[in-house]
Amino acid sequence: MQEVAALLLCKIGGKAGSADDIAAVISAAGGEPNTDAIASLVADVEGKDVNELLAAGMEKLKDVPMGGGGGGGGGGGGGGGGGGEAAATAAVEEVVEEEAPPATDMFGGGDGGDY
């Protein structure tokens, strides 16, 4: 995969995309060039326009189903009955509101100053 990315970077940079160009890009990025994979790629794309190859690939991808098909419906509800006792024993939490400190102005004086 790094070979294809290096080839595309070469083409974007205006280079021919030779095996040496591809190996140089991979080495510059800190990778280890695989000479067999590079040779195979160069042989596969020799004499072909990269833009036409990309367009053909995009044409093939349009038939590939992508993304989710949406979720199914929600699960069914539980059976009814017998819920009254559980509701009666549920603990009721009391909400205790904390009292906010008195407002002061930006500089710490509480009298409002000479505004």
Side-chain angles (χ1 to χ4, degrees), residues 29-106:
E32 184 72 32
N34 181 341
T35 55
D36 293 335
I38 293 172
S40 175
L41 174 65
V42 170
D44 286 345
V45 299
E46 187 174 351
K48 298 177 183 173
D49 181 38
V50 172
N51 292 323
E52 290 176 9
L53 293 173
L54 290 172
M58 293 301 289
E59 188 66 28
K60 289 179 182 178
L61 280 177
K62 75 175 189 172
D63 296 330
V64 175
M66 294 186 196
E85 186 175 328
T89 60
V92 177
E93 293 183 31
E94 290 186 31
V95 178
V96 178
E97 292 186 26
E98 294 183 22
E99 196 170 310
T104 59
D105 69 7
M106 197 163 84

Side-chain angles (χ1 to χ4, degrees), residues 6-7 10-11 14-27 38 42:
L7 171 67
C10 288
K11 294 293 185 174
K15 297 202 178 249
S18 67
D20 291 335
D21 292 339
I22 294 170
V25 169
I26 294 170
S27 295
I38 293 172
V42 170

